[in-house]
């Protein structure tokens, strides 16, 4: 990745951290899940309104490090309007990006987190909001955890 692109991607993270998108409880939510990353102290709740199989609206709320909050904010912008299957596919791409640093061919804001792969402890921060969102989609009432063996 070129230096310019790295800088651009850092701007994406800083911007989401300064001005989080879709932050706060969603009054119309019909699915809610909470995620917890004890290794860093991050918390993230995801609220979404599922309309059939499509995510009509979603929001997050939480506290923690810049990576966890910026990632959750970006996640809400990526998942709006997506089906459950599309959301799972996006998460698979994002997980690849943060664990390998390899970015997909097309430029995506998700690639802003490619640098996370050099800080393995931060992968859990970056994926926390996504875990919560996927659990909310499954209608799983159990808290999301970043301590899954598959992680
Ligand atoms: Zn964190």
């Amino acid at each position: 990745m070129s230096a310019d692109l790295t800088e651009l991607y850092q701007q994406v993270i800083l911007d989401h951290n300064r001005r989080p998108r879709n932050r706060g409880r969603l009054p119309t939510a019909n699915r809610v899940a909470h995620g917890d990353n004890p290794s860093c102290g991050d918390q993230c709740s995801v609220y979404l309104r599922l309309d059939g199989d499509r995510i009509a609206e979603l929001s997050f709320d939480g506290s923690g490090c810049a990576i966890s909050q910026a990632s959750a904010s970006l996640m809400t912008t990526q998942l709006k309007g997506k089906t459950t299957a599309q959301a799972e596919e996006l998460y698979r791409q994002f997980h690849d990006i943060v664990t390998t640093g390899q970015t997909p061919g097309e430029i995506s804001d998700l690639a802003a987190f490619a640098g996370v792969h050099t800080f393995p402890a931060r992968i859990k921060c970056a994926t926390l909001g996504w875990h919560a969102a996927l659990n909310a989609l499954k209608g799983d009432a159990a808290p999301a955890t970043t301590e899954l063996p598959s992680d």
Side-chain angles (χ1 to χ4, degrees):
M1 200 185 292
S2 74
D4 282 355
L5 210 50
T6 303
E7 189 161 316
L8 171 74
Y9 283 150
Q10 282 171 354
Q11 291 302 319
V12 171
I13 294 176
L14 284 173
D15 181 51
H16 277 275
N17 204 47
R18 266 191 221 116
R19 296 188 301 119
R21 315 301 199 277
N22 308 304
R23 180 161 202 163
R25 188 178 276 271
L26 182 68
T28 55
N30 53 16
R31 299 293 179 91
V32 180
H34 180 71
D36 186 24
N37 176 21
S39 64
C40 182
D42 309 318
Q43 307 267 338
C44 182
S45 293
V46 171
Y47 305 87
L48 58 87
R49 183 164 67 81
L50 205 56
D51 183 7
D53 187 41
R54 199 167 287 275
I55 301 168
E57 287 181 275
L58 77 164
S59 71
F60 82 100
D61 206 359
S63 60
C65 69
I67 293 285
S68 69
Q69 302 304 298
S71 177
S73 171
L74 178 62
M75 179 272 296
T76 64
T77 67
Q78 298 287 310
L79 293 189
K80 187 170 179 178
K82 299 291 193 295
T83 64
T84 301
Q86 288 170 329
E88 285 170 353
E89 172 59 21
L90 271 173
Y91 173 65
R92 200 187 55 71
Q93 286 178 15
F94 183 70
H95 190 263
D96 278 356
I97 290 169
V98 296
T99 53
T100 68
Q102 300 293 312
T103 58
E106 74 272 35
I107 292 185
S108 151
D109 278 356
L110 294 179
F113 290 86
V116 168
H117 87 281
T118 56
F119 306 95
R122 289 313 188 86
I123 292 170
K124 292 176 176 180
C125 305
T127 57
L128 178 65
W130 290 82
H131 281 297
L134 294 183
N135 276 4
L137 282 172
K138 287 178 198 146
D140 186 350
T145 176
T146 53
E147 306 297 326
L148 297 171
S150 62
D151 217 23

